[in-house]
Each structure stands twice: as structure tokens, then as C-alpha cells.
Amino acid sequence: MGKITYKRLKGSQNMRQRLLLATLKSTPVLIEDIHADDTLPGLRPHEISLLRLFEKLTDDCLIEINETGTKLKYKPGIIVGGSHLVHDCGVSRAIGYFLEPLILLGLFARKTLVIILKGITNDSKDPSVDTFRSTTFPLLKRFGVPSEGLKLEVKSRGVSPHGGGEVHLTIPTVQHLTATMWTDEGMVKRIRGEAFTTRVSVQLGNEMIYAARGIFNRLLPDVYIASDYRKRSEAGNSSGYGISLVAETTSGCCISADTTVSYPQGDEEEDIEGEEKKELIPAADVGEKLASVLLEEIEKGGVVDSTHQGLLFLLCALCVNDVSKVRVGKLSPYGIETLREIRDFLDVQFVIKPDPSTGTVILKCWGSGMKNLSRKTT
């Protein structure tokens, strides 16, 4: 066996995108100075958990971490996928942090991916599992992913700090992704959403729904927000509440926003059904604020919200050798960093053209032809 040539990188920025693209492209990477200047240097628990997840999905993967955790050698293996897999995502980041790379790896695996993920299903930092179900899955269909194979079931919810949630994910394999020409945002035709509560009064969920509807019903009649009241084993290990919203347009776009409020560790007592707990943010304010956030996302324009820009660009870059053209609102920091990593790993460059008349940005690229990279021979 010949000597392995590693792509040398420095720093902890974009760790998730780098590891994902390295795996898809079968590029060994050597990353140094990981959180080197932090009080606690080295890989974070969620980054180590992500590496272990990749290890479960691949065959012949090699991971080497030095004693301080500031240096990582990663040689990707063959993306196998498979069923009966279980992964505990921990509680430093939500399951949503792991879902984006997991979905893309699953699409290019040898076998259909069926996996159980445990941890935090809803928080204010990462997209919720509800957003993946209502917004991310329709986005994948735009690139030729069969809808009948996509499945995400929330068996139990879990919020920070203790998690306790569980989701069952199924991702079908594809031979290749289909290029798309997607520049028409359309007009908003309806609002859908879901408000949830875990180990708190169901009234908090109703207050979020009522407040959000109070804003949307002034603008359009078709508004429906479901409620999901969880208790006992289905409510995880911490108390909280949250809401996810999605605006569906006449051209099939889904623009989403979500948020979660949970009780800090010090405020939680042993759970007693109906126990009154100290509120952090009034539920009505949570619903009203998130409705405003969604309206701001709609106002920005584009076929996806700012949270999904990175995934949209990755899908375009991983398509067969054909042109994809998409419209987004103002480029988000995550979107910009993803474009840079795509250029460095896949050698795909986007042509970026602002549209002054709408304040949006049109991006165009030639796909990398991932069809030829999705499966390796042993």
C-alpha cells in the first residue's frame, strides 16, 4: 500500500463541511491547530461524535487524534450506509447538526441508510428535526431524490440541557443528483407549522400557536399550526417548548424558521406532571417573534431560507455534469463558507450575479459529476 497523501488544513472553522466533503471526495485530510487558541483546546464533543458517526457509515475509515485533540488525521472509507444503525449525538449540539452531512452521505452510500439518532431534537442553535421534515426533504426532491424513500420519525423529543430525544431516519441511495434551474420563488400560498411542549403545560403550545396565527392571519387565510404535546418517556429528559414554521409558495419553495426555549439545568426539579415552572420567555412572545423571523426570511427572497443556503450549494455542486442555477437572498456567512469549501474540495466554482431589482443573488455552477465518485471499488 502506497503512502497516503493528506490535504493539509488548519483551524476548526467549517469542520463539518470539511469532513463531509473529504468523505464524499475520498480525500484524506490532516487538520491542525483545532481550537488551539481556546481555553480548552482540541476537538469538541460534537465534532468527535460526528467523526464516530462517519466511522459507522463507512468501511476502512482511519481516524487519528493526538493527545491534546488539536491535530486530526482522517482518511475516509467507502460509504456503505446500512440499517440497524444507532448513534448517540450527545448533548453539546442538537441532532440537526448531524442531519445535514448524514443525509448527503446516505444519498451516496451503497445501501439504504436506516439509523436511529439520540440526543437533542430541538434547540435554538441548529435546525430542528421538524424543519428537516417540512423543508429539507422537499428541497432534496428538487434534485431527483425519491420522496417515497425519505423518512424521519420523531419517536421522542429532547431539548437541552439533557436531551433524551430519539428520531428514526431513512435515506435512499441515488445514482446521481439531477441538476436544477430554480430561480422562481413564487408567492406564499400557505403557512404550516408545529408547536411542541415537553414536560410543561400544553397551554404554552396553544399560546405560541395563537400568537403566530395572529400575525399570519392578517396576511393570508390558509394558516395551520399543529400541536405536539409530549410527556413521560416521549418528552425526553428536560422541560421546554418551541415552534417551527414553514411558508409554502406557489412554485414549490419552502421557507422555514424555528426556535426552542428550554429550562437551564439549575431551574429543573424532578418532573411532576402539571408542576408550574419558571418561564424564561413567555410562550406568546416566542410565537410572535418566530412569525416575524419567518416574514423576514420571506422578504429576503430566494428559493430557500438562509439556513438552507449551504445545503443548496452542496447539492448543486454534487450534481451530474450539467448546469444548475438557483436564486437566494443575501448570502449568509454559512453559505459563503460552504462555497469556499466546495471550491477547495470539489474544484467547483459558482458564478455569482446579484439581481439589484429584487435584492437577491443568482448562482450558477457546473456539477462535479458525483455519479462517478459515489461508489468505490474494493
Side-chain angles (χ1 to χ4, degrees), residues 141-325:
K141 296 171 192 175
R142 283 276 179 175
F143 292 86
V145 179
S147 58
E148 60 271 12
L150 291 168
K151 194 174 182 182
L152 179 62
E153 293 181 277
V154 182
K155 295 297 185 180
S156 62
R157 289 194 182 271
V159 299
S160 62
H162 302 306
E166 179 177 309
V167 299
H168 293 202
L169 175 71
T170 303
I171 301 294
T173 60
V174 294
Q175 292 296 318
H176 58 79
L177 295 174
T178 306
T180 186
M181 304 295 283
W182 194 16
T183 57
D184 179 19
E185 305 116 310
M187 302 291 289
V188 176
K189 63 179 180 179
R190 59 174 169 249
I191 301 290
R192 294 292 182 264
E194 188 166 18
F196 77 90
T197 56
T198 59
R199 299 185 180 276
V200 295
S201 170
V202 68
Q203 183 59 31
L204 297 177
N206 296 334
E207 289 175 12
M208 288 187 290
I209 293 172
Y210 183 79
R213 285 183 61 96
I215 291 179
F216 292 130
N217 282 143
R218 304 174 200 163
L219 306 173
L220 72 167
D222 193 354
V223 180
Y224 178 72
I225 305 172
S227 60
D228 184 16
Y229 174 51
R230 299 288 179 120
K231 57 183 182 180
R232 299 186 178 89
S233 61
E234 292 186 353
N237 303 323
S238 295
S239 304
Y241 49 90
I243 183 171
S244 64
L245 298 170
V246 56
E248 301 176 17
T249 75
T250 52
S251 62
C253 301
C254 294
I255 309 299
S256 63
D258 64 64
T259 191
T260 298
V261 175
S262 59
Y263 294 89
Q265 185 170 354
D267 287 347
E268 284 197 295
E269 304 290 337
E270 287 295 316
D271 178 63
I272 301 175
E273 285 300 323
E275 178 187 4
E276 187 176 348
K277 296 179 185 288
K278 179 183 175 183
E279 280 192 33
L280 299 179
I281 303 175
D285 291 353
V286 172
E288 187 174 320
K289 182 178 179 180
L290 190 72
S292 299
V293 169
L294 181 60
L295 291 176
E296 290 171 6
E297 285 286 351
I298 295 168
E299 187 180 12
K300 290 176 185 176
V303 297
V304 297
D305 52 74
S306 54
T307 304
H308 281 84
Q309 283 185 14
L311 178 59
L312 176 66
F313 300 154
L314 284 166
L315 290 167
C316 290
L318 292 170
C319 284
V320 291
N321 294 135
D322 202 351
V323 176
S324 287
K325 184 178 179 181

Side-chain angles (χ1 to χ4, degrees), residues 34 47 83:
I34 300 171
E47 293 167 340
S83 55

